[in-house]
Amino acid sequence: MQRIYLDSNATTPVHPEVVTAMLPVFTEDYGNPSSIHWFGQHAKALMDDARTQVARLINGETSEIVFVSGGTEADNLAIRGIAESQKSKGRHIITSTIEHHAVLHTCRDLEKQGYEITWLGVSADGLVDPEDVRRAIRPDTILISIMHANNEIGTIQPIEEIGKIAEVADVYFHSDGVQSTGKISVDVKKLKVDLFSMSAHKIHGPKGVGALFVKKGSVLKPQLTGGGHERNRRSGTENVAGIVGFGVAAKMAREGMGSEMDRVKELRDRLESGLKKNIDLIRINAENAPRLPNTSNIMVDYAEGEGLVISLDLKGIAVSTGSACSSGSLEPSHVLTAIGKTPDEAHGSLRFSLNSMNSVQDVDYVVEVLPRIVDRLRELSPYYKRA
Ligand SMILES: *Cc1c(COP(=O)(O)O)cnc(C)c1O
């Protein structure tokens, strides 16, 4: 069966050029970058090339990139690292209700440890109001953590405005940039972030590798003790092959940013207009907010999200309902409830997330297949005919 992958916010296929660059690192260039001999120094040079590529993608300095095991670790290192290094100054942290679980659950854990968290709500479009951030700042506030782009609905937060507020207040500012990196242009200097999380596998790199941008001068308490790798910020022998792959993926993302993402946006818009034309009673979440070019989150009234995902899967189409982390559980998506949807509405949502390897044919197939699936599911709904 022909299979179409439209779940790129969960993960992406590794680009063949990334694989090609990684392979020799397993077999020939296998040195430990901490070793002083040729093998070690060669591995270190490969790793530092990758560091430069990742830094360039976000306009940071090479020395400001700390390689970690992925977005989840980057978020943990940023938040726990600041919380622990700054606790003598204060224990108050500001974040939002639509963060990824890696931020949400980390903040909840800190809450249990005695930190105080202000959870900012968002507008119906899924946006944090920078004025809310300003108002929440107190003398004991040590960290603001607001994601750049949301993984479920794709909204892009006003990070630059929040960055200015954080700078004036002299409070550390972290942003989870896992979804924005490589999809929209990111300039950490302009955004005024001190910490910025990234993950390779969301941009055609391998799983299990990511990076935290740590602005020069930031004081983080390391979360792993050991040999003092990554300039004492993250101990553990680096995942050199993964890092090399991440470097190539970052370079490709930077070079293709404009053209590839324009094409992806056209596909996304074609999908949305096709679905709106062929299915009645659907709504696109955050349709008019600043959004990632690849993400479409739609709500199909009188049809259940899980049923839609399963029916689409039987037709070879992979999408998700809510975030990958919350699928399989009956909890409605915390992001959709935060933008004011009822649990029923949240359960009827579908997330399409595209990448540059998708085609017009992929999108047209969904537009052809989904209306029939929706019709069939709605026939089973006791409420639909009365509408
Ligand atoms: C995927 C994702 C993460 C987690 O990254 P991993 O590398 O899978 O640990 C964190 N934040 C956001 C917004 C994500 O989309």
Side-chain angles (χ1 to χ4, degrees):
M1 177 167 54
Q2 179 204 11
R3 292 216 177 260
I4 295 173
Y5 187 76
L6 298 172
D7 199 15
S8 298
N9 287 8
T11 196
T12 55
V14 179
H15 195 283
E17 280 183 42
V18 170
V19 177
T20 303
M22 288 175 71
L23 285 177
V25 184
F26 293 105
T27 51
E28 293 152 41
D29 307 323
Y30 51 79
N32 184 326
S34 299
S35 302
I36 57 176
H37 48 60
W38 181 86
F39 289 91
Q41 292 309 298
H42 185 56
K44 183 169 186 305
L46 292 174
M47 191 165 81
D48 286 339
D49 284 348
R51 202 184 299 280
T52 300
Q53 292 302 337
V54 172
R56 270 196 202 162
L57 181 59
I58 59 166
N59 195 31
E61 303 303 319
T62 303
S63 59
E64 294 174 321
I65 301 298
V66 178
F67 286 119
V68 296
S69 67
T72 300
E73 189 188 336
D75 287 340
N76 272 267
L77 175 57
I79 297 168
R80 294 181 193 274
I82 292 295
E84 289 172 22
S85 78
Q86 302 301 305
K87 65 180 174 210
S88 62
K89 187 186 164 213
R91 292 179 168 235
H92 178 237
I93 295 170
I94 300 167
T95 187
S96 85
T97 51
I98 64 162
E99 299 297 311
H100 187 272
H101 284 145
V103 169
L104 205 69
H105 291 168
T106 302
C107 288
R108 271 197 211 149
D109 186 52
L110 290 174
E111 215 166 25
K112 283 190 208 131
Q113 294 178 34
Y115 288 83
E116 224 185 300
I117 314 286
T118 295
W119 300 94
L120 297 178
V122 295
S123 69
D125 270 342
L127 294 172
V128 172
D129 182 346
E131 283 309 310
D132 288 348
V133 177
R134 192 199 304 276
R135 276 190 290 269
I137 295 175
R138 319 189 307 210
D140 61 340
T141 305
I142 51 171
L143 175 68
I144 297 165
S145 179
I146 304 285
M147 72 196 316
H148 194 191
N150 183 269
N151 44 301
E152 291 190 41
I153 56 178
T155 45
I156 300 167
Q157 301 300 331
I159 295 302
E160 198 175 331
E161 281 85 338
I162 299 170
K164 283 183 194 141
I165 292 166
E167 187 183 52
V168 170
D170 195 22
V171 173
Y172 279 111
F173 182 29
H174 165 247
S175 186
D176 177 336
V178 172
Q179 289 294 345
S180 59
T181 306
K183 293 180 192 157
I184 56 173
S185 80
V186 172
D187 179 338
V188 287
K189 296 189 174 81
K190 211 166 105 192
L191 296 178
K192 296 188 180 297
V193 289
D194 300 296
L195 304 132
F196 193 78
S197 303
M198 293 167 269
S199 179
H201 76 100
K202 305 285 174 80
I203 59 165
H204 302 287
K207 294 172 183 60
V209 60
L212 181 65
F213 160 80
V214 182
K215 190 175 154 192
K216 190 165 174 277
S218 308
V219 183
L220 274 186
K221 172 121 190 316
Q223 297 300 300
L224 296 175
T225 43
H229 304 74
E230 297 294 289
R231 299 182 175 209
N232 281 321
R233 294 170 295 190
R234 199 273 191 181
S235 283
T237 301
E238 292 89 347
N239 171 5
V240 184
I243 288 168
V244 166
F246 189 9
V248 175
K251 180 167 188 274
M252 294 182 74
R254 181 169 50 85
E255 288 170 350
M257 180 90 62
S259 55
E260 292 293 316
M261 280 302 140
D262 284 352
R263 206 178 58 80
V264 168
K265 182 173 183 299
E266 268 173 36
L267 291 178
R268 193 273 312 268
D269 292 347
R270 183 183 179 101
L271 173 73
E272 289 186 344
S273 61
L275 293 179
K276 278 199 280 194
K277 191 160 148 256
N278 293 351
I279 307 173
D280 62 340
L281 299 172
I282 67 168
R283 288 169 288 166
I284 296 165
N285 285 316
E287 185 170 10
N288 299 314
R291 261 194 304 162
L292 290 175
N294 80 315
T295 307
S296 180
N297 189 298
I298 67 170
M299 287 189 314
V300 184
D301 291 357
Y302 308 106
E304 210 257 323
E306 304 267 305
L308 292 168
V309 170
I310 292 164
S311 306
L312 284 168
D313 190 43
L314 291 170
K315 294 281 182 191
I317 300 165
V319 302
S320 74
T321 176
S323 78
C325 314
S326 57
S327 64
S329 78
L330 284 172
E331 286 283 294
S333 146
H334 68 280
V335 176
L336 296 178
T337 49
I339 63 172
K341 305 302 173 195
T342 65
D344 273 349
E345 287 176 313
H347 282 308
S349 84
L350 275 186
R351 181 187 70 183
F352 298 91
S353 48
L354 286 64
N355 70 64
S356 56
M357 297 179 186
N358 287 124
S359 65
V360 170
Q361 286 83 340
D362 293 349
V363 164
D364 289 353
Y365 183 58
V366 176
V367 172
E368 180 197 321
V369 164
L370 187 56
R372 276 179 276 144
I373 291 173
V374 172
D375 279 347
R376 196 167 43 77
L377 289 178
R378 281 177 175 170
E379 271 166 30
L380 303 172
S381 164
Y383 305 106
Y384 178 58
K385 291 197 182 68
R386 270 181 259 154

